[in-house]
């Protein structure tokens, strides 16, 4: 508005934002324009007023930056279609170009009157002006490329006022804001020169580490505040070079002109080609075709060449020996600088660059193609748009329109050109610039075939081919040892490459036929190997057959391999294959054909027969070999015991080898009695004892007390056998026998107590349990055996005593329990019973006490005797029934010293004519037991001699045994006597029944006494003796 106010309204005309300018009505707003750029974060409004100011505002009304002062009254503002530039026109009769930030760049066109309107054609660089005098002017703006390049650093102008430095390898970029029109850019090493309208800025690359070439931090080093007019600008380490038509000026960074050169023609091209700081060299090309070299510290120019046509582009090779020139006819000319000789020329070139890492390579562009030339080889072409401006290693820097790009170009073509001429070292140098893995492999292979091992080694290292590296190392080692036959080395190379026939020819030529043969056989080329050796060499033919069999084995053709091994006489290898595949028919054929002297193949056959479980074939093979030891081992391993026993009968030296494993096998299969016999036969009683001791311990730990008792009984018998056979161990074994017999009986009876306390029901009568508990407590010493619980025994005794009326004994048991650690499950019951038992009379049942009468002295013994299972009066040991544990009416008697067991039995067996007994007879119960059955008591008016012998002196503290003489033995009836016929070295034990009407049965194996009825019932239940488990059908 004229009053200097800007009003921003919506489409309905409602005011949203109001911007008041400082000048008010003295600065009327004449033109406004919105920035059309979509890249800006905010909407930007450009405002031009007749206070000769240009300002920028956000949509919110906030001003961006400061006001830009103009030198005229602006009449029109127009943005380029992308918002990067602004066109202003007004009272100065011209249209000017500004950046989007308001920095003036230059004049577009001058007119004869005020410019009232200007517009930019969308998406183009065309500008139209409208003037006060009616003139319409149409302009096209051309934005030239302002840039500079040094090796891999490229600097170019952006947005007319900024400079961007780009690292072409790492793609890093850094922007330098100048806020003025950038006119010229030059870059060299760590220097960057930027020419602005009124000054030149010199920047330095800041680097802490001088070896780091990727840093991109530039800082201002110098400012030259002068206006210069020049066509070209070049910067060196300590100088800037200004080029204006024919004139070259060298200025220091402090604006002092040090040198000036005046050329005979216009300068078309200038380039810094390096040199020491302050003494750099320049390459200059003139329009008249002259090419000069100038040093900044030398006032005189050096003429290198004089061409007939104008120079467009120049470059010098890395070693300064060759010069490449592109003339105005687009022809590339390459000269030797020293001799001035034209080396070659190529058409269709507009720019050229030498490779900075390789002396003989250059590239040039033209007609849409990139051309790479190495040495004097033909040119390699590929499509590429733009101008080549640099060539570093495998990267070519190309400028296309306004953008610079680094193109990775494989150097394959020049490398192969060198390879064709067998120039391996030069090819390797080219490959180092950048080629594919396949190219490296080709180079390595060609160099190896050309016997250039050094180059081949380097190339194979590149592709990490260890196999060829090992070959090269082996060849080098052989060379050190003095080998120098190149044909032999080449043969090895061919073999590695798969050229086997060529390798074989070379091997043959060098006299190394064996290597060719090994090569063919290793490669399984047996037909070629046969052709190579012919039919004249039987040794090699057999070796070949063996190797062919090896191959057949590894290639999973085992049957063919086995047959080949047999043909080659390699029986062991054939047997291994046949055995591994389980072909028993082939194996037995081989075993039968082999001579018995060939023990190793036969042994291997037998081994595989055992592995395949062909016992018959293995037995046949061992028999053929005559290896009895192995045959016995075979029978044992396969558990063919009958064959093993028959062999032992003929060859007793193998007794231990058979019976010991047999016993172990029986023990593992829970056949312990048979195992015992087997150990006996092998003479290994100690092993038998150890096995049984372990089994006994396990049974106790697992609370199988019945089994524990049985095992202890077996152990005792085992000890008795050892005592009989070994004089040295007799005393020790007899002690063990007594102890194991005692333990066997304790565990046997405790089994019933344990079942009563742990199980809900019991199969025993109360009287039986009562007797068992009393027996166990009477026989327990201070050292209670493992697993037997005194608490359980006293608890069971207390319970049964109460039931049977032995209240005094029950009260005694409960009192004893108070001193012991009682399990919680019994605690409440015991405490209650301890109280309630006190309500019962303090005496035991008379019937129970009468049951403990001594049959020798007729003394009634207490129910529980601290002295053990003996009479308190006469000390005669009680004889118990092994089932009900009642006291049996038996008295043990001993023979006088001069009477042997056989004599005693013969005397007892004599008939006594004056004794008349009614219906007294032995009753045979079964084949293994005998019972004494008397129908009525003996009515004998004469006194029995045995009764006389039973008398003893009253009051004695020592036990007086009953000893009988010949006459007493003769007076005895066989029916009244029971004999325990213990094996040596034990003596027989004799017992006389005092109540003939009580039927007693004794087991002939364990010699335990039973009431006949109890024994018969138990044998019927278990089909064996309840104590020693002797089967009823086993002969005595």
């Amino acid at each position: 508005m004229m009053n200097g106010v800007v009003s921003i309204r919506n489409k309905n005309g409602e005011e949203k934002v109001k911007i008041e300018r400082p000048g008010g009505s003295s600065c009327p707003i004449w033109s406004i324009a919105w920035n059309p750029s979509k890249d800006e974060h905010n909407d930007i409004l450009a405002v031009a007023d007749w206070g000769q100011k240009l300002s920028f505002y956000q949509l919110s009304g906030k001003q961006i930056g400061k006001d830009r002062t103009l030198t005229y009254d602006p009449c029109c503002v127009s943005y380029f279609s992308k918002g990067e530039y602004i066109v202003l026109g007004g009272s100065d009769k011209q249209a000017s170009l500004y950046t989007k930030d308001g920095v003036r760049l230059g004049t577009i066109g001058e007119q004869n009157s005020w410019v009232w309107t200007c517009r930019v054609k969308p998406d183009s660089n065309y500008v139209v002006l409208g003037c006060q005098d009616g003139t319409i002017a149409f302009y096209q703006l051309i934005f030239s490329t302002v840039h500079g390049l040094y090796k891999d650093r490229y600097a170019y102008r952006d947005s007319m006022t900024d400079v961007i430095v780009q690292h072409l390898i790492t793609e890093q970029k850094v922007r330098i804001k100048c806020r003025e029109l950038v006119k010229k850019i030059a870059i060299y090493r760590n220097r960057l020169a930027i020419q602005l309208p009124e000054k030149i800025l010199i920047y330095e690359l800041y680097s802490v580490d001088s070896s780091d070439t990727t840093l991109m931090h530039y800082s201002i080093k110098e400012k030259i505040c002068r206006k210069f007019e020049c066509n070209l600008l070049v910067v060196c380490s300590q100088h800037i070079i200004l080029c204006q038509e024919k004139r070259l000026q060298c200025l220091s960074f402090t604006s002092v002109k040090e040198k000036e050169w005046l050329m005979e023609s216009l300068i078309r091209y200038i380039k810094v080609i390096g040199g020491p700081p302050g003494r750099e060299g320049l390459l200059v090309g003139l329009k008249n075709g002259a090419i000069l070299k100038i040093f900044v510290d030398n006032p005189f120019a050096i003429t290198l060449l004089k061409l007939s046509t104008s120079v467009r582009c120049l470059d010098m090779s890395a070693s300064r020996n060759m010069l490449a020139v592109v003339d105005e006819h687009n022809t590339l000319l390459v000269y030797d600088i020293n001799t001035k000789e034209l080396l070659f020329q190529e058409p269709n070139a507009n720019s050229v660059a030498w490779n900075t890492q390789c002396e003989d390579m250059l590239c040039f562009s033209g007609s849409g193609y990139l051309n790479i030339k190495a040495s004097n080889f033909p040119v390699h072409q590929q499509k590429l748009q733009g101008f080549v401006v640099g060539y570093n290693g495998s990267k070519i820097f190309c400028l296309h329109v306004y953008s610079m790009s680094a193109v990775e170009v494989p150097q394959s073509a020049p490398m192969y050109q060198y390879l064709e001429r067998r120039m391996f070292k030069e090819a390797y140098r080219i490959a180092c610039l950048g080629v594919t893995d396949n190219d490296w492999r080709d180079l390595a292979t060609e160099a190896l075939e050309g016997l250039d091992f050094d180059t081949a080694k380097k190339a194979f290292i590149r592709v990490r081919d260890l196999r060829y590296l090992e070959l090269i190392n082996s060849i080098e080692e052989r060379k050190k040892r003095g080998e120098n036959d190149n044909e032999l080395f080449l043969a090895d190379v061919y073999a590695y490459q798969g050229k086997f026939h060529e390798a074989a020819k070379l091997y043959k030529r060098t006299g190394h036929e064996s290597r060719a043969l090994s090569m063919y056989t290793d490669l399984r080329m047996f037909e070629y190997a046969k052709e190579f050796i012919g039919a004249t060499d039987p040794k090699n033919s057999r070796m070949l057959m063996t190797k062919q069999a090896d191959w057949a084995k590894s290639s999973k053709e085992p049957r063919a391999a086995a047959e080949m091994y047999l043909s080659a006489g390699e029986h062991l290898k054939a047997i291994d294959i046949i055995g591994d595949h389980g072909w028993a028919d082939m194996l037995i054929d081989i075993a039968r054909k082999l001579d018995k002297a060939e023990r190793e193949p036969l042994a291997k056959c037998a081994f595989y027969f055992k592995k395949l479980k062909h016992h018959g074939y293995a037995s046949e093979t061992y028999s053929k070999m005559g290896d009895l030891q192995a045959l016995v081992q075979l029978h044992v391993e396969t558990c063919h015991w009958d064959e093993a026993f028959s062999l032992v009968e003929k060859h007793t030296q193998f007794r231990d080898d058979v019976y010991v494993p047999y016993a172990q096998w029986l023990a593992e299969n829970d056949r312990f009695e048979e195992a015992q016999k087997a150990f006996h036969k092998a003479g290994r009683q100690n092993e038998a004892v150890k096995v049984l001791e372990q089994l006994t311990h396990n049974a106790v730990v697992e609370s199988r007390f019945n089994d524990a008792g049985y095992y202890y009984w077996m152990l005792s018998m085992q000890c008795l056998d050892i005592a009989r056979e070994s004089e040295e161990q007799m005393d020790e074994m007899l002690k063990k026998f007594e102890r194991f017999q005692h333990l066997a009986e304790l565990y046997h009876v405790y089994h019933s107590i344990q079942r009563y306390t742990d199980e809900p029901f019991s199969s025993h009568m109360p009287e039986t349990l009562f007797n068992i508990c009393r027996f166990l407590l009477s026989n327990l010493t201070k050292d209670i055996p493992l697993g037997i619980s005194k608490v359980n025994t006293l608890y069971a005794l207390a319970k049964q005593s109460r039931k049977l009326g032995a209240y005094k004994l029950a009260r005694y048991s409960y009192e004893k329990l108070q001193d012991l650690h009682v399990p919680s499950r019994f605690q409440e019951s015991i405490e209650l019973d301890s109280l309630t038992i006190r309500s019962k009379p303090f005496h035991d049942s008379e019937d129970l006490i009468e049951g403990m009468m001594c049959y020798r002295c007729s003394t009634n013994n207490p129910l529980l005797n601290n002295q053990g299972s003996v009479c308190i009066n006469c000390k005669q040991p009680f004889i118990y029934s092994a089932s009900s544990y009642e006291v049996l009416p038996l008295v043990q008697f001993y023979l006088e010293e001069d009477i042997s067991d056989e004599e005693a039995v013969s005397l007892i067996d004599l008939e006594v004519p004056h004794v008349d007994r009614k219906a007294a007879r032995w009753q045979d119960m079964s084949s293994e037991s005998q019972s004494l059955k008397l129908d009525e008591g003996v009515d004998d008016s004469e006194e029995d001699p045995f009764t006389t012998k039973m008398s003893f002196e009253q009051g004695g503290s020592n036990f007086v045994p009953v000893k009988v003489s010949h006459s007493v033995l003769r007076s005895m009836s066989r029916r009244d006597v029971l004999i325990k016929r213990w094996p040596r070295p034990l003596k027989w034990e004799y017992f006389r029944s005092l109540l003939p009407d009580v039927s007693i049965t004794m087991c002939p194996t364990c010699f335990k006494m039973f009431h006949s009825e109890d024994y018969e019932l138990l044998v019927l239940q278990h089909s064996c003796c309840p104590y020693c488990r002797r089967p009823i059908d086993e002969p005595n």
Side-chain angles (χ1 to χ4, degrees):
M1 298 182 187
M2 292 296 290
N3 61 359
V5 174
V6 178
S7 178
I8 300 174
R9 300 169 183 261
N10 64 12
K11 60 183 178 181
N12 298 324
E14 300 168 358
E15 186 173 80
K16 293 294 182 183
V17 179
K18 184 177 181 182
I19 301 171
E20 294 186 2
R21 303 277 290 155
S25 58
S26 63
C27 302
I29 307 298
W30 206 260
S31 183
I32 58 175
W34 288 102
N35 188 337
S37 173
K38 295 178 182 178
D39 298 331
E40 299 289 343
H41 296 298
N42 301 302
D43 291 326
I44 297 173
L45 178 68
V47 178
D49 62 28
W50 276 15
Q52 297 191 351
K53 287 185 173 56
L54 174 65
S55 305
F56 300 92
Y57 291 90
Q58 292 180 3
L59 184 61
S60 62
K62 181 182 177 182
Q63 185 171 355
I64 301 171
K66 296 180 180 179
D67 292 339
R68 297 280 182 175
T69 302
L70 306 175
T71 56
Y72 55 92
D73 294 331
C75 298
C76 57
V77 176
S78 179
Y79 272 97
F80 269 59
S81 59
K82 293 183 180 177
E84 64 268 46
Y85 302 114
I86 301 173
V87 180
L88 256 74
S91 62
D92 62 346
K93 301 180 183 180
Q94 63 183 14
S96 301
L97 184 68
Y98 290 79
T99 66
K100 62 182 180 181
D101 298 323
V103 177
R104 188 175 188 279
L105 298 176
T107 301
I108 295 173
E110 296 183 357
Q111 302 297 323
N112 296 323
S113 61
W114 286 23
V115 178
W116 281 95
T117 185
C118 57
R119 286 291 179 269
V120 181
K121 183 180 179 182
D123 298 320
S124 69
N125 294 337
Y126 296 104
V127 178
V128 178
L129 309 179
C131 305
Q132 186 173 350
D133 60 2
T135 305
I136 294 176
F138 185 63
Y139 294 93
Q140 179 185 9
L141 304 186
I142 296 174
F143 297 94
S144 61
T145 303
V146 176
H147 63 122
L149 174 75
Y150 179 75
K151 292 191 175 176
D152 48 16
R153 291 178 190 270
Y154 175 60
Y156 61 94
R157 181 174 69 180
D158 186 58
S159 302
M160 304 299 284
T161 60
D162 296 349
V163 174
I164 292 178
V165 183
Q166 176 184 356
H167 197 291
L168 295 172
I169 306 298
T170 64
E171 296 295 327
Q172 288 177 284
K173 290 184 180 181
V174 62
R175 180 183 292 272
I176 299 172
K177 293 193 174 186
C178 301
R179 294 182 176 81
E180 290 187 65
L181 176 65
V182 175
K183 299 181 71 174
K184 296 281 186 297
I185 298 173
I187 186 169
Y188 174 73
R189 290 187 181 167
N190 62 341
R191 297 282 186 265
L192 172 68
I194 302 174
Q195 184 185 10
L196 304 177
E198 301 293 335
K199 58 189 171 185
I200 294 177
L201 301 178
I202 311 295
Y203 286 85
E204 184 176 31
L205 183 64
Y206 175 75
S207 173
V208 178
D209 182 5
S210 59
S211 63
D212 189 349
T213 60
T214 61
L215 290 175
M216 300 291 286
H217 181 70
Y218 284 91
S219 59
I220 289 183
K221 179 176 175 62
E222 298 288 348
K223 289 184 183 178
I224 301 175
C225 296
R226 279 176 54 191
K227 183 176 180 179
F228 294 99
E229 288 295 331
C230 63
N231 306 120
L232 299 169
L233 174 68
V234 175
V235 67
C236 298
S237 299
Q238 299 170 7
H239 303 87
I240 58 170
I241 312 296
L242 302 176
C243 170
Q244 180 65 26
E245 295 183 348
K246 297 181 181 181
R247 187 182 306 275
L248 272 181
Q249 289 184 330
C250 174
L251 280 73
S252 69
F253 291 161
T254 54
S255 188
V256 177
K257 185 171 77 172
E258 295 186 357
K259 301 281 188 309
E260 182 175 285
W261 300 270
L262 189 63
M263 305 300 165
E264 58 192 21
S265 177
L266 291 175
I267 297 170
R268 292 288 301 274
Y269 190 89
I270 184 168
K271 182 176 184 178
V272 184
I273 56 171
R279 299 172 59 193
E280 289 88 356
L282 304 177
L283 201 59
V284 180
L286 306 182
K287 189 175 181 181
N288 66 359
I291 299 169
L292 310 172
K293 183 159 70 170
I294 297 174
F295 294 98
V296 295
D297 63 339
N298 189 341
F300 302 104
I302 302 167
T303 303
L304 296 179
L305 284 172
K306 184 72 170 69
L307 304 183
S308 57
T309 54
S310 175
V311 175
R312 286 185 59 181
C313 185
L314 284 173
D315 198 13
M316 191 176 283
S317 67
S319 63
R320 310 286 188 267
N321 289 325
M322 288 183 282
L323 181 69
V325 184
V326 178
D327 65 13
E328 63 182 0
H329 301 307
N330 293 340
T331 302
L332 168 66
L333 305 163
V334 177
Y335 290 92
D336 185 311
I337 293 178
N338 298 322
T339 63
K340 308 294 190 289
E341 177 190 355
L342 176 65
L343 299 177
F344 58 84
Q345 64 181 41
E346 297 287 343
N348 302 319
N350 54 26
S351 64
V352 66
W354 284 96
N355 194 320
T356 56
Q357 295 182 19
C358 183
E359 168 71 14
D360 294 335
M361 287 188 70
L362 60 78
C363 66
F364 60 94
S365 57
S367 304
Y369 284 95
L370 170 68
N371 303 272
I372 299 173
K373 187 171 178 66
S375 187
N376 53 357
F377 297 119
V379 172
H380 171 71
Q381 283 190 335
Q382 66 181 66
K383 286 191 175 182
L384 184 76
Q385 296 294 324
F387 296 88
V388 166
V389 293
Y391 190 9
N392 185 10
S394 62
K395 290 189 182 296
I396 292 177
F397 304 128
C398 178
L399 179 67
H400 181 52
V401 191
Y402 303 121
S403 67
M404 176 72 75
S405 58
V407 181
E408 186 82 41
V409 180
Q411 306 299 308
S412 307
M415 186 199 79
Y416 283 112
Q417 289 172 335
Y418 280 114
L419 281 184
E420 285 173 8
R421 297 195 183 181
R422 301 176 69 79
M423 300 168 70
F424 302 118
K425 286 183 170 49
E426 291 81 358
Y428 174 77
R429 204 158 51 242
I430 299 295
C432 287
L433 301 179
V435 292
T436 64
D437 281 352
N438 286 337
D439 296 333
W440 274 112
R441 189 170 292 281
D442 290 344
L443 168 61
T445 305
E446 291 288 337
L448 190 59
E449 289 182 12
L451 302 178
D452 185 346
F453 297 117
D454 187 45
T455 303
K457 188 174 184 178
K458 292 177 187 174
F460 279 125
I461 287 172
R462 285 279 188 152
V463 294
R464 295 181 172 84
D465 194 324
L466 298 179
R467 198 165 61 93
Y468 277 106
L469 287 172
E470 286 174 2
L471 171 66
I472 293 169
N473 281 335
S474 71
I475 291 174
E476 288 175 346
E477 289 296 322
R478 285 155 61 188
K479 277 189 166 186
K480 288 176 184 175
R481 292 197 299 265
E483 282 190 41
N484 55 6
D485 191 340
N486 284 338
E487 284 195 345
L488 182 57
F489 296 151
L490 190 57
D492 290 342
V493 171
Y494 282 155
Y496 266 71
Q497 290 177 349
K499 301 174 182 177
F500 305 119
H501 300 312
E502 291 89 333
K505 289 174 185 175
L506 285 173
Y507 281 134
K508 195 165 187 177
R509 193 186 305 165
T510 56
H512 291 81
E513 290 88 350
S514 59
R515 288 200 183 190
L517 194 60
S518 296
M519 176 186 71
Y520 278 132
T521 52
D522 289 346
L523 295 166
R524 313 296 182 251
M525 297 179 172
F526 298 107
E527 297 306 318
Y528 291 124
K530 287 173 187 174
E531 289 177 15
F532 185 78
I533 63 172
T536 58
D537 192 346
K539 184 181 177 183
N540 279 339
S541 297
R542 179 171 290 187
M543 183 269 290
L544 195 59
M545 185 73 74
T546 303
K547 290 198 174 185
Q548 190 170 0
D550 290 339
W551 166 73
K553 178 182 175 183
S554 62
S555 61
K556 297 183 180 176
E557 292 183 13
R559 192 173 286 272
E563 290 169 356
M564 288 176 192
Y565 278 133
L566 289 174
S567 302
E570 296 275 356
H571 292 117
L572 289 174
K573 291 183 179 179
I575 290 166
D576 277 333
I577 294 172
I578 294 166
D580 288 339
H581 289 83
W583 299 326
D585 53 342
M586 284 183 74
L587 203 57
I588 191 60
D589 287 343
I590 294 171
R592 286 168 180 165
K593 289 175 184 176
L594 285 169
D595 188 85
K596 64 181 180 181
E598 298 181 78
R599 296 184 66 82
E600 191 177 355
L602 283 170
K604 188 151 277 194
C605 286
F607 165 76
Y608 281 113
F609 284 136
K610 280 165 61 177
K611 189 176 177 182
L612 299 171
K613 298 182 180 176
H614 283 280
H615 173 261
Y617 288 162
S619 179
E620 179 186 337
T621 308
Y622 281 132
S623 298
K624 182 174 181 177
M625 293 169 62
D627 191 344
L628 294 177
Q629 178 76 41
L631 189 57
V632 168
Q633 191 68 28
L634 169 70
H635 292 323
V636 168
E637 287 177 7
T638 55
C639 298
H640 285 73
W641 302 112
D642 294 337
E643 290 93 328
F645 296 147
S646 64
L647 202 61
V648 168
E649 286 176 12
K650 299 174 186 174
H651 306 280
T652 54
Q653 68 268 28
F654 301 121
R655 185 184 186 88
D656 283 2
D657 296 333
V658 173
Y659 281 108
V660 172
Y662 179 55
Q664 290 169 347
W665 176 78
L666 289 170
E668 288 167 6
N669 288 277
D670 296 337
R671 292 162 62 181
F672 298 108
E673 291 184 29
E674 295 174 65
Q676 293 298 313
K677 293 173 186 175
F679 274 124
H680 277 315
K681 288 184 180 179
R684 299 291 184 91
Q685 286 89 348
N686 289 331
E687 282 85 344
V689 170
K690 285 179 185 174
V691 170
L692 275 174
E693 282 179 344
Q694 186 61 49
L695 287 169
T696 307
H697 178 74
N698 293 348
V700 171
V701 170
E702 296 166 12
S703 299
R704 294 184 290 108
F705 299 109
N706 206 14
D707 291 340
Y710 171 61
Y711 292 145
Y712 269 124
W713 177 80
M714 290 184 70
L715 269 172
S716 68
M717 300 310 290
Q718 190 73 55
C719 291
L720 192 57
D721 290 339
I722 296 172
R724 184 169 63 251
E725 293 173 7
S726 172
E727 291 286 339
E728 296 86 3
Q729 294 180 284
M730 182 186 295
D731 293 340
E732 182 191 349
M733 287 297 130
L734 287 178
K735 286 178 186 176
K736 280 192 174 185
F737 168 78
E738 296 293 342
R739 186 165 66 87
F740 290 155
Q741 282 276 321
H742 177 65
L743 288 172
E745 194 154 23
L746 293 184
Y747 282 116
H748 177 72
V749 297
Y750 184 69
H751 172 69
S752 302
I753 296 171
Q754 187 257 343
R755 288 188 64 184
Y756 170 75
T757 55
D758 290 4
E759 296 179 8
F761 302 105
S762 174
S763 61
H764 292 291
M765 297 294 287
E767 291 86 353
T768 305
L769 278 171
F770 178 72
N771 292 334
I772 286 172
C773 293
R774 289 190 303 110
F775 173 81
L776 185 59
L777 288 169
S778 298
N779 284 278
L780 280 178
T781 59
K782 288 182 181 178
D783 298 327
I784 298 175
L786 177 68
I788 293 178
S789 168
K790 199 169 184 180
V791 172
N792 286 1
T793 309
L794 286 167
Y795 177 71
L797 178 61
K799 285 283 188 182
Q800 303 312 316
S801 300
R802 188 181 183 123
K803 281 183 186 178
L804 298 172
Y807 302 121
K808 183 179 178 181
L809 182 58
R811 190 179 292 193
Y812 169 80
S813 301
Y814 283 126
E815 287 173 357
K816 283 288 185 184
L817 281 168
Q818 300 302 320
D819 299 333
L820 301 173
H821 178 71
V822 180
S824 57
R825 61 194 176 106
F826 296 150
Q827 194 78 43
E828 188 177 347
S829 172
I830 289 172
E831 288 175 357
L832 183 61
D833 290 345
S834 297
L835 290 172
T836 56
I837 195 66
R838 298 181 183 278
S839 65
K840 304 295 181 183
F842 188 61
H843 61 78
D844 295 325
S845 168
E846 292 294 332
D847 295 339
L848 294 174
I849 294 172
E850 289 174 2
M852 285 303 294
M853 186 190 76
C854 173
Y855 286 94
R856 180 175 180 183
C857 66
S858 301
T859 304
N860 283 336
N861 280 261
L863 294 178
L864 206 58
N865 184 359
N866 291 331
Q867 297 178 13
S869 297
V870 297
C871 174
I872 57 171
N873 182 30
C874 65
K875 306 295 186 295
Q876 177 72 33
F878 293 122
I879 311 300
Y880 291 93
S881 165
S883 58
S884 64
Y885 282 85
E886 295 174 356
V887 178
L888 294 174
L890 295 173
V891 174
Q892 184 176 2
F893 63 89
Y894 299 86
L895 304 177
E896 289 184 348
E897 298 295 333
D898 58 341
I899 304 172
S900 66
D901 290 328
E902 291 78 8
E903 187 182 356
V905 172
S906 64
L907 288 170
I908 293 169
D909 287 343
L910 286 174
E911 289 294 327
V912 183
H914 66 273
V915 177
D916 180 22
R917 299 179 186 277
K918 293 193 287 185
R921 59 189 176 84
W922 281 100
Q923 181 180 0
D924 292 329
M925 296 301 296
S926 64
S927 61
E928 80 286 350
S929 60
Q930 52 184 333
S931 293
L932 182 63
K933 181 74 175 176
L934 293 98
D935 292 339
E936 293 181 6
V938 177
D939 184 13
D940 193 352
S941 57
E942 295 182 11
E943 186 178 355
D944 185 356
F946 184 77
T947 307
T948 307
K949 289 287 184 185
M950 284 199 305
S951 62
F952 64 98
E953 185 179 345
Q954 296 288 337
S957 60
N958 295 327
F959 167 58
V960 180
V962 179
K963 284 198 174 185
V964 297
S965 62
H966 291 79
S967 59
V968 176
L969 287 171
R970 270 197 299 272
S971 69
M972 288 184 191
S973 171
R974 182 70 183 87
R975 302 173 185 86
D976 298 340
V977 178
L978 292 172
I979 304 171
K980 292 186 179 180
R981 300 172 186 253
W982 291 108
R984 275 191 322 104
L986 293 180
K987 293 183 178 181
W988 291 4
E989 294 179 358
Y990 299 86
F991 299 86
R992 167 77 183 272
S993 174
L994 300 179
L995 294 178
D997 59 339
V998 177
S999 179
I1000 299 169
T1001 302
M1002 181 178 70
C1003 173
T1005 304
C1006 60
F1007 304 122
K1008 289 295 175 187
M1009 314 285 193
F1010 301 86
H1011 286 294
S1012 296
E1013 291 178 357
D1014 293 345
Y1015 185 72
E1016 289 168 9
L1017 179 62
L1018 290 168
V1019 167
L1020 287 173
Q1021 285 178 346
H1022 303 292
S1023 300
C1024 63
C1025 171
Y1027 191 84
C1028 67
R1029 301 183 185 180
R1030 173 179 172 272
I1032 56 173
D1033 56 353
E1034 183 178 298
N1036 187 8

